[in-house]
Amino acid sequence: MPPLRPRHRRQALAGLQAAVGPVARPSPLVLAWRWRYELILAAGMTSGVIAAARIPAAAWVLAGCVALIAVVALWPPARRVLIARAWCVITPHRVRAGCAGAWIHSRGGKLPAVLLTTRQPRGERVYLWCRAGTCAQDFESALQLLITACWAQDMQVTPNRRYAQLVTLEVIRRPAGKSETVTASTGRMRPANQTRPVAISAAGQRTTTPQNGNGERRRGEVRCWIGDTYCLVGDLDTGEEFYFSRDMLICPQAIDKVRETGTKVAFMAHGAPDGNQRRRAAAVLVAGEYYKGVLVSLPPGRPYGWLRLQDPLGNPHLVYLRVNSNAEGYKAGDTLSFRAAVSDKGAYAEEVTRAEEDEAA
């Protein structure tokens, strides 16, 4: 997967050179550092066998070692610790293999350096040092390739806020106990926030306040796609980044237009803003496209109403409807066709007609 870096001719040529160039062969010192745990284990086992062979009661020593291994293998807490530690040794090798396969290396072919790998409740955390010519965005653009290379269920990329050259990879191997949904740059896993239903009062206003940020009407523009699976959209008013997938489009057929950077969209924000991870955008409308929605509220004497749409996952979106002379005769429950437009208040309907009139035309 090509990195999202080429902005002009020189950068495009640099990206092409990095893609077709081979990975540099590590020096003996670097190779020894990468395989230090395996070398220490092999040296320790060899020394132990040689030392045991010189002891008269070597058979008893061997039996004691076998018994110790059996206890570790059969006692669940010890077994879990041993397996988790083994993954901390395996994961750096898989990360380097994934970086080589995804062309995440400098123009000289040098891979990012693995500084440290630690155990986490659901997997491992890998701290990386990006060499000149690589950045956190390279990992985000190749997220699916890295997940496959690491034999993981999911992965999260977190750049360091102070030092741009430091990147943290959360390798997720075990699902959480609660239901989950994929989050931010990359596919993070987090408990799914339940969307609180939004009620419309007789005055056409929402009678409940969105809980944990759910149900906020937002507008934004497409920033980029991650592996053609998840789209990052930036809020035009706050600058906050959200993510969504194809199933969160109210009209999935509009996917080709959404793939274009800069496309304006309206969406409903889900999740609690905590400043560390991107929230989910659902029920996404593409500006300028035509949709059909059900009129759920048209308060008498008020200059507005509300149309309700939902995406394939069932997430609702309330679209603002300006009331004018053309709206005479409309009633709650009518299906209306309209062109979606966006403003700082969210989505609103333009060129509104009855759906049956469009079909007849």
Side-chain angles (χ1 to χ4, degrees):
M1 180 181 300
L4 303 176
R5 288 184 286 181
R7 298 290 183 92
H8 49 71
R9 185 171 180 270
R10 179 177 297 177
Q11 288 186 348
L13 292 177
L16 179 61
Q17 180 180 349
V20 300
V23 177
R25 299 176 68 91
S27 66
L29 184 60
V30 172
L31 195 62
W33 173 256
R34 291 179 179 178
W35 291 89
R36 61 192 181 279
Y37 296 113
E38 292 84 350
L39 293 175
I40 292 173
L41 180 62
M45 291 181 64
T46 302
S47 301
V49 170
I50 294 174
R54 297 178 179 178
I55 299 176
W60 291 102
V61 174
L62 180 61
C65 293
V66 172
L68 180 62
I69 295 174
V71 169
V72 172
L74 296 177
W75 189 34
R79 185 174 65 248
R80 285 193 293 267
V81 171
L82 184 62
I83 293 175
R85 189 60 219 170
W87 275 118
C88 288
V89 175
I90 296 171
T91 298
H93 296 300
R94 301 313 308 165
V95 169
R96 283 188 286 266
C99 290
W103 305 328
I104 304 176
H105 54 75
S106 66
R107 294 178 64 182
K110 293 186 178 296
L111 298 173
V114 178
L115 302 178
L116 179 67
T117 304
T118 61
R119 289 191 298 142
Q120 297 298 315
R122 299 171 58 195
E124 300 83 49
R125 178 176 296 167
V126 184
Y127 298 90
L128 298 171
W129 180 286
C130 292
R131 301 180 186 273
T134 59
C135 64
Q137 192 178 26
D138 295 331
F139 293 91
E140 293 179 356
S141 64
L143 195 60
Q144 295 300 322
L145 298 179
L146 293 173
I147 291 173
T148 303
C150 292
W151 309 328
Q153 290 188 357
D154 204 352
M155 186 177 292
Q156 170 196 336
V157 180
T158 306
N160 189 286
R161 294 189 175 184
R162 184 174 180 182
Y163 302 104
Q165 70 273 24
L166 298 180
V167 175
T168 302
L169 298 183
E170 297 282 351
V171 181
I172 299 172
R173 302 191 181 280
R174 293 174 292 278
K178 299 180 180 180
S179 60
E180 297 172 331
T181 182
V182 181
T183 68
S185 66
T186 93
R188 299 171 64 183
M189 305 296 292
R190 60 177 293 187
N193 289 308
Q194 299 297 325
T195 304
R196 185 175 179 177
V198 181
I200 304 296
S201 67
Q205 298 287 352
R206 284 175 286 184
T207 59
T208 58
T209 302
Q211 184 180 17
N212 295 332
N214 288 341
E216 300 172 4
R217 301 172 67 240
R218 300 292 192 96
R219 64 170 179 168
E221 67 176 9
V222 173
R223 296 278 176 84
C224 66
W225 279 83
I226 301 175
D228 203 34
T229 304
Y230 301 105
C231 177
L232 293 184
V233 56
D235 191 299
L236 291 175
D237 300 308
T238 65
E240 181 181 0
E241 282 191 338
F242 295 79
Y243 82 95
F244 66 86
S245 63
R246 180 170 184 162
D247 290 338
M248 299 172 190
L249 287 168
I250 289 179
C251 182
Q253 291 77 14
I255 186 68
D256 291 334
K257 187 171 182 180
V258 178
R259 286 194 179 103
E260 300 175 5
T261 303
T263 298
K264 300 296 188 296
V265 297
F267 58 92
M268 304 297 288
H270 289 261
D274 59 8
N276 295 323
Q277 54 191 1
R278 297 183 180 94
R279 293 194 283 161
R280 178 168 58 97
V284 181
L285 287 163
V286 181
E289 295 293 298
Y290 287 87
Y291 297 89
K292 293 180 182 179
V294 177
L295 184 60
V296 294
S297 178
L298 190 64
R302 298 285 184 173
Y304 55 80
W306 297 95
L307 295 167
R308 188 182 188 276
L309 298 85
Q310 66 180 28
D311 61 22
L313 299 180
N315 298 298
H317 193 144
L318 294 176
V319 178
Y320 183 83
L321 171 67
R322 292 193 183 100
V323 175
N324 51 34
S325 59
N326 294 331
E328 294 180 359
Y330 293 166
K331 62 183 183 300
D334 287 348
T335 301
L336 305 180
S337 176
F338 65 94
R339 185 171 68 89
V342 296
S343 68
D344 57 349
K345 302 298 183 181
Y348 65 94
E350 292 184 335
E351 302 178 15
V352 182
T353 59
R354 290 184 183 274
E356 53 269 21
E357 294 176 359
D358 288 347
E359 295 174 358

